[in-house]
Amino acid sequence: MKKGKITIHDISKELGINSSTVSRALNNSSRVTQKTKDKILKKATELGYQRNSLASKLRTNKTNTIGVIVPRISRQFFSSVISGIEETAYDAGYEVIICQSLDNLEREQKLIETLLSNRVDGILISVSTQTLGKDDFNNCKQNETPIIFFDRPYNIEENTNVIIDDFKAGFEATEHLILNGCKNIVHFSGPQHSELYKRRKNGYLAALKKYNLTIDFNYIIASNLMKSDGIENAKKILDLSKVDAVFSANDVAAISAMIYLKDKGVKIPDEIAFVGFSNEQISAVIEPSLSTISQSDFKMGTVAATLLFKQIEQKTTIKEGYTKILEPKLIIRNSSQKIIL
Amino acid sequence: MKKGKITIHDISKELGINSSTVSRALNNSSRVTQKTKDKILKKATELGYQRNSLASKLRTNKTNTIGVIVPRISRQFFSSVISGIEETAYDAGYEVIICQSLDNLEREQKLIETLLSNRVDGILISVSTQTLGKDDFNNCKQNETPIIFFDRPYNIEENTNVIIDDFKAGFEATEHLILNGCKNIVHFSGPQHSELYKRRKNGYLAALKKYNLTIDFNYIIASNLMKSDGIENAKKILDLSKVDAVFSANDVAAISAMIYLKDKGVKIPDEIAFVGFSNEQISAVIEPSLSTISQSDFKMGTVAATLLFKQIEQKTTIKEGYTKILEPKLIIRNSSQKIIL
DNA sequence: TTTTAAAATACAATCGATTGTATTTTAAAA
DNA sequence: TTTTAAAATACAATCGATTGTATTTTAAAA
């Protein structure tokens, strides 16, 4: 057995057939007769031939590979999006390279560089929370490598984005609480520079307005929505009087706040009702189970991937500022259903 | 601006310096003077040059890339292992390609093929539950591509494996329950062909023996340990008399059983105590919080990756049947602590 | 049997970077 | 100024697969 990898030239030599014919046979070209194909394929398996994708990709200038960057693969939402992307890619004949930025900008930039130098045909990304600039992804554009942003919108005027209707989600979550008898609803918001959290907040405000509830800006608590922030927020709630509900812009903060409040003897949902955001796996398991917003994650993956493949294959210049907005879905569980007397 | 990607030849032409010198300058070779390097680097950034890794990898016959295959990236344990791998790889200058098999053998085989044809330098894999054969990975060996198995051992006699001491974990979990006053301990076991589940079971049996408790094989319930299996198992428990504890070979089944039993009015841990396995994220959040075994996940990643890099760089033939066994850690939470009168 | 068109296969260049060897340049010594 | 060794740069082959064009083979028609 020859050491090292087998190439088409090895097959070529063994059979006395030119390597171009071997290549065509392996790619099932109509320019090679079935008889020759059979001979070549047999020899290929016999030698344990395995195409060198690097050479093929270099020559054809097409990798049939896309890169996906998310903050963390462990988060339920992202892994569902990735599943959606992978299914779509699988059907379209693309390979997928999954990367996590750990919400770190420097790392994210490095990943982009790596993906570009590996000549991916396109990139799907949910940007890190540190990504604030307007032209962090110029290297892609310079390269004419299509890039599509999902979940966390990025410079909507100039890029392709796939997001959910955060305003509507915020509105529906809040309205649901109001219809369940809540009147003094606190909102846990995220970093205020983020468009996404602004929209959720605006949805919240619009719902209060619709039902003529007083808007108290002390009731809007901004934070990074981490576990510890939830606890801090919960402490603040205990200082505010009359709070009877919380709409949190993510599940993590909602859950840690709930646990803290329960520990302090607060009855949930009867004294304080909760609605979260994201439909993390834990939200179904915690007690009481947390009502939340599902971001149609799998679908977001398929939609983003489909858009990307279209851009890659049409090779059209990317239409600036196209945004696809998906519908959110309110999932009603126990944390928001008060016993209305 | 030239359309398409910039190559070293473009830089070469622009500056009238041969492309070999350009290549050496970009790789910071000592054969190029600093003055020339500066000129070349400046022009490279000016033109937006980006190395074509495909060409480089093809020429050098080294990709500095490893592939990682896990059943699902969303599972807490696997994403932690991956983090461990990525950190180690980052330090060692390797890229990581993450793939999920979805516990599907066909898909797993396809991923292996793709990784090999992309000429990864090595592979880390936690095999799918469908992978039962003894030589599913011959294509790697034929290729002389190192492959290391983690978490789920595979053909221990012939391959490199990184696993935890499942026997010890089973023993400690069971002993912990015994020391908390439990005498009639049910064991939820997994598919009986699996070495891993056999070892956990043997640990359980050894603990019973050590404390002179009767071994009743009706108390060992085998299943696939999915959510639904947990519920089925819980029903069976209700039919058995005297059960006062459960040691489950994973958290998922333990949790669904707990929820079912709680619903039926069983007090946990006072009537039936629980210990799970894996330390899934949910296990800390459920009520009562679930005692479980931590599989030193992050460390498993670093250890497996370190081993792999060693194999890649030494280019030694893979020593057959080397198994690295990591220590498990019992995490005691509320589900296992009875009030002993 | 010779001619000819179609089918099959071979030739050779190419993708972009790397690298051993050859050549040129530089600068010090003769 | 010429010689010479060292430093710097250029030449050319190479990694493995692909593909437009050229050549050969096949088989039918003349």
Side-chain angles (χ1 to χ4, degrees):
Chain A
M1 171 76 64
K2 177 174 174 296
K3 85 180 151 121
K5 314 283 197 298
I6 306 295
T7 73
I8 53 171
H9 303 292
D10 298 314
I11 300 176
S12 162
K13 261 181 232 153
E14 288 261 334
L15 294 174
I17 295 176
N18 190 280
S19 54
S20 62
T21 305
V22 174
S23 170
R24 286 198 172 90
L26 293 170
N27 288 310
N28 203 21
S29 153
S30 63
R31 279 176 60 177
V32 182
T33 85
Q34 193 55 50
K35 211 176 114 197
T36 313
K37 276 182 196 168
D38 289 343
K39 239 191 328 193
I40 290 172
L41 285 173
K42 190 167 152 253
K43 182 58 79 179
T45 26
E46 187 191 316
L47 295 176
Y49 171 78
Q50 190 144 44
R51 155 205 254 110
N52 185 326
S53 291
L54 299 172
S56 168
K57 289 171 176 176
L58 173 62
R59 177 57 229 255
T60 59
N61 198 26
K62 182 85 168 52
T63 56
N64 280 301
T65 303
I66 61 166
V68 179
I69 302 178
V70 297
R72 319 195 92 89
I73 54 174
S74 62
R75 289 205 23 216
Q76 182 64 19
F77 169 71
F78 289 122
S79 59
S80 291
V81 177
I82 288 172
S83 295
I85 293 169
E86 284 194 327
E87 290 314 307
T88 313
Y90 190 86
D91 293 343
Y94 280 83
E95 296 170 21
V96 179
I97 298 179
I98 305 165
C99 313
Q100 49 184 346
S101 67
L102 304 179
D103 265 326
N104 174 318
L105 178 58
E106 190 196 344
R107 199 165 171 132
E108 184 174 276
Q109 291 294 319
K110 210 164 249 165
L111 288 171
I112 293 269
E113 288 293 325
T114 305
L115 291 174
L116 289 178
S117 76
N118 280 294
R119 297 293 187 263
V120 292
D121 293 332
I123 294 176
L124 294 173
I125 182 171
S126 180
V127 297
S128 86
T129 46
Q130 296 181 350
T131 312
L132 306 173
K134 286 238 156 198
D135 24 49
D136 294 302
F137 303 98
N138 276 346
N139 40 4
C140 291
K141 281 169 204 162
Q142 211 173 37
N143 244 309
E144 297 177 355
T145 304
I147 180 167
I148 291 181
F149 300 83
F150 64 90
D151 180 44
R152 303 183 182 173
Y154 184 79
N155 193 1
I156 288 210
E157 295 74 33
E158 293 177 20
N159 299 297
T160 307
N161 281 270
V162 179
I163 54 179
I164 65 156
D165 191 335
D166 286 293
F167 176 88
K168 190 171 173 188
F171 182 89
E172 287 184 354
T174 311
E175 182 174 49
H176 165 66
L177 286 168
I178 295 171
L179 296 177
N180 269 270
C182 306
K183 290 189 162 49
N184 298 290
I185 305 170
V186 160
H187 176 46
F188 292 176
S189 188
Q192 292 301 294
H193 57 72
S194 153
E195 276 305 314
L196 184 149
Y197 292 116
K198 270 190 222 160
R199 290 206 201 92
R200 290 179 192 174
K201 187 175 68 184
N202 289 337
Y204 157 82
L205 292 171
L208 294 186
K209 210 168 281 173
K210 178 174 172 193
Y211 290 92
N212 292 314
L213 295 178
T214 21
I215 291 169
D216 181 346
F217 282 97
N218 289 320
Y219 274 37
I220 300 176
I221 308 176
S223 73
N224 285 318
L225 297 173
M226 309 291 264
K227 206 167 165 180
S228 56
D229 298 311
I231 295 169
E232 287 310 308
N233 291 359
K235 287 180 188 162
K236 284 181 194 156
I237 289 178
L238 292 178
D239 291 340
L240 296 166
S241 52
K242 302 186 300 174
V243 174
D244 57 10
V246 171
F247 162 47
S248 172
N250 83 5
D251 281 354
V252 175
I255 287 170
S256 68
M258 269 169 66
I259 292 175
Y260 180 86
L261 291 172
K262 260 170 49 181
D263 203 50
K264 294 288 171 201
V266 176
K267 297 264 172 300
I268 296 168
D270 294 335
E271 293 178 345
I272 300 183
F274 269 86
V275 175
F277 208 112
S278 289
N279 194 24
E280 300 281 343
Q281 216 165 12
I282 326 175
S283 63
V285 177
I286 197 181
E287 288 182 36
S289 55
L290 178 63
S291 296
T292 188
I293 299 287
S294 159
Q295 299 175 88
S296 37
D297 25 27
F298 188 89
K299 189 170 181 204
M300 187 175 281
T302 61
V303 168
T306 306
L307 269 173
L308 183 64
F309 297 143
K310 222 178 264 175
Q311 283 192 3
I312 291 170
E313 275 148 33
Q314 293 182 343
K315 283 179 181 165
T316 53
T317 341
I318 302 156
K319 197 213 284 179
E320 286 193 353
Y322 173 73
T323 299
K324 172 85 185 177
I325 298 174
L326 301 177
E327 287 294 301
K329 207 179 125 206
L330 176 65
I331 298 179
I332 299 172
R333 298 208 183 94
N334 294 328
S335 67
S336 60
Q337 308 200 66
K338 299 201 184 212
I339 303 156
I340 302 181
L341 302 177
Chain B
M1 171 76 63
K2 178 172 174 291
K3 86 180 151 121
K5 314 281 197 298
I6 306 295
T7 73
I8 53 170
H9 303 291
D10 297 315
I11 300 177
S12 162
K13 260 182 232 154
E14 287 261 335
L15 295 174
I17 295 177
N18 189 280
S19 54
S20 62
T21 305
V22 174
S23 170
R24 288 199 171 90
L26 293 172
N27 287 311
N28 202 22
S29 155
S30 63
R31 279 177 58 179
V32 182
T33 77
Q34 193 55 50
K35 212 177 115 196
T36 314
K37 276 182 195 167
D38 289 344
K39 237 190 330 190
I40 291 172
L41 284 173
K42 189 168 154 253
K43 183 57 79 178
T45 25
E46 185 190 318
L47 295 177
Y49 171 78
Q50 189 144 46
R51 155 205 254 110
N52 185 328
S53 292
L54 299 172
S56 168
K57 289 172 176 175
L58 173 62
R59 176 58 228 258
T60 59
N61 199 26
K62 181 84 166 51
T63 56
N64 281 300
T65 304
I66 60 167
V68 179
I69 303 178
V70 297
R72 320 196 91 89
I73 54 174
S74 63
R75 288 204 25 216
Q76 183 64 20
F77 169 71
F78 289 122
S79 59
S80 291
V81 178
I82 289 173
S83 296
I85 294 169
E86 284 193 328
E87 291 313 307
T88 313
Y90 189 87
D91 292 342
Y94 280 83
E95 296 170 21
V96 179
I97 298 180
I98 305 165
C99 314
Q100 49 184 347
S101 66
L102 303 179
D103 264 326
N104 175 318
L105 178 58
E106 190 196 343
R107 200 164 168 133
E108 184 174 274
Q109 291 294 320
K110 211 165 249 164
L111 289 171
I112 292 271
E113 288 293 323
T114 304
L115 290 175
L116 289 178
S117 76
N118 281 294
R119 296 295 186 264
V120 292
D121 294 331
I123 295 177
L124 295 172
I125 182 170
S126 180
V127 297
S128 86
T129 46
Q130 296 181 351
T131 313
L132 306 174
K134 287 239 155 199
D135 23 50
D136 294 303
F137 302 98
N138 276 346
N139 40 6
C140 291
K141 282 169 204 163
Q142 213 173 35
N143 244 309
E144 298 176 354
T145 303
I147 180 166
I148 291 181
F149 300 84
F150 65 90
D151 178 45
R152 303 183 182 174
Y154 183 79
N155 194 2
I156 287 210
E157 295 73 33
E158 293 177 21
N159 299 298
T160 306
N161 281 270
V162 179
I163 54 179
I164 65 156
D165 191 335
D166 285 293
F167 176 87
K168 190 170 174 188
F171 182 88
E172 287 184 353
T174 311
E175 183 175 49
H176 165 66
L177 286 168
I178 296 171
L179 296 177
N180 269 270
C182 305
K183 291 189 160 50
N184 299 290
I185 304 169
V186 160
H187 176 45
F188 293 176
S189 189
Q192 292 299 296
H193 56 72
S194 154
E195 276 307 314
L196 184 148
Y197 292 115
K198 269 189 223 159
R199 291 207 201 91
R200 291 180 191 173
K201 187 175 69 186
N202 289 337
Y204 157 83
L205 292 171
L208 295 186
K209 212 167 281 173
K210 176 172 173 193
Y211 291 92
N212 292 314
L213 295 178
T214 22
I215 289 169
D216 180 346
F217 283 95
N218 290 320
Y219 274 34
I220 300 176
I221 308 175
S223 73
N224 286 317
L225 297 173
M226 309 291 264
K227 206 168 165 180
S228 55
D229 298 310
I231 295 168
E232 288 310 308
N233 292 0
K235 287 179 188 162
K236 284 180 194 156
I237 289 179
L238 292 178
D239 290 341
L240 295 166
S241 51
K242 302 186 300 174
V243 175
D244 56 10
V246 172
F247 162 47
S248 172
N250 83 5
D251 281 353
V252 175
I255 287 170
S256 69
M258 269 169 65
I259 291 175
Y260 180 85
L261 291 173
K262 261 171 44 180
D263 204 51
K264 294 288 173 202
V266 176
K267 297 265 173 297
I268 296 168
D270 293 335
E271 293 178 345
I272 301 184
F274 268 86
V275 175
F277 208 112
S278 290
N279 194 23
E280 300 280 342
Q281 215 165 13
I282 325 177
S283 62
V285 177
I286 197 180
E287 288 182 35
S289 55
L290 178 63
S291 297
T292 188
I293 299 286
S294 160
Q295 299 176 86
S296 37
D297 25 27
F298 188 89
K299 188 168 182 206
M300 186 174 280
T302 61
V303 167
T306 306
L307 269 172
L308 183 64
F309 297 144
K310 222 178 265 175
Q311 283 192 4
I312 291 171
E313 275 148 31
Q314 294 182 343
K315 281 176 183 165
T316 54
T317 341
I318 302 157
K319 197 212 287 179
E320 287 194 352
Y322 174 73
T323 299
K324 172 85 185 175
I325 298 175
L326 300 178
E327 287 294 302
K329 206 178 126 210
L330 176 65
I331 297 178
I332 299 172
R333 297 207 184 93
N334 296 327
S335 67
S336 61
Q337 308 201 66
K338 299 200 183 212
I339 302 155
I340 302 181
L341 302 176

